[in-house]
Amino acid sequence: MSFRGLSRPNAISGMGVADESKTTFLELQRKKTHRYVVFKIDESKKEVVVEKTGNPTESYDDFLASLPDNDCRYAVYDFDFVTSENCQKSKIFFFSWSPSTSPVRAKVLYSTSKDQLSKELQGIHYEIQATDPTEVDLEVLRERAN
């Protein structure tokens, strides 16, 4: 029996959520100190950690550029928009990014860990599961938010 497999996290059980991940989300939600937060799974720590934050002046294109082409990620984006009644609004979107070119192990790991993360991040308005850039087009957010 090989002991190499014992140190690897079990993809079926999911991951914990780092305190920093929760705190950073609250900063986005309450203080508006971030436009977006990208999270990744740190398998050595067996938890979801912050990979990158975007400052409030960054664009949606900046956010999309922070998502890897060939690997999975979670992200939250604070979407500001104006309603048809000319009211300024903000909605928080949760993204489960799983490109079709991602390794199968990553897809399983991110899929099984998503529920735990979304439970910890209270105050998400909409969830988007995406496998390619067309599913995260800015127009998709506009349609969902209105």
Side-chain angles (χ1 to χ4, degrees):
M1 174 176 180
S2 168
F3 290 99
R4 286 182 35 209
L6 293 179
S7 64
R8 297 175 72 183
N10 181 350
I12 302 305
S13 65
M15 296 284 159
V17 180
D19 287 341
E20 178 198 14
S21 296
K22 297 178 228 178
T23 302
T24 305
F25 173 74
L26 290 174
E27 291 170 354
L28 173 140
Q29 181 185 42
R30 297 184 180 157
K31 299 178 183 176
K32 304 289 187 187
T33 54
H34 312 293
R35 171 64 58 200
Y36 62 87
V37 182
V38 177
F39 303 96
K40 71 175 186 175
I41 291 177
D42 183 332
E43 289 194 63
S44 65
K45 294 180 181 177
K46 297 186 180 177
E47 62 185 9
V48 178
V49 299
V50 173
E51 180 178 55
K52 181 181 189 333
T53 58
N55 70 54
T57 61
E58 288 193 49
S59 71
Y60 191 67
D61 287 337
D62 295 326
F63 165 67
L64 292 179
S66 70
L67 298 174
D69 293 334
N70 300 310
D71 205 358
C72 302
R73 290 294 184 272
Y74 304 117
V76 288
Y77 185 84
D78 190 6
F79 179 59
D80 293 330
F81 63 101
V82 178
T83 67
S84 57
E85 294 84 30
N86 207 27
C87 292
Q88 184 70 36
K89 295 271 188 172
S90 177
K91 297 289 183 186
I92 297 174
F93 282 79
F94 176 84
F95 293 84
S96 181
W97 176 246
S98 184
S100 55
T101 54
S102 300
V104 172
R105 176 175 167 68
K107 290 179 188 180
V108 170
L109 194 57
Y110 276 78
S111 175
T112 58
S113 302
K114 180 178 73 75
D115 286 345
Q116 181 63 35
L117 178 61
S118 59
K119 282 179 197 169
E120 297 282 349
L121 306 182
Q122 296 293 312
I124 290 170
H125 298 107
Y126 302 102
E127 185 175 316
I128 294 177
Q129 296 184 22
T131 58
D132 70 68
T134 63
E135 296 172 318
V136 292
D137 188 77
L138 186 57
E139 209 44 52
V140 173
L141 273 66
R142 286 190 182 116
E143 288 172 12
R144 295 283 295 273
N146 282 320

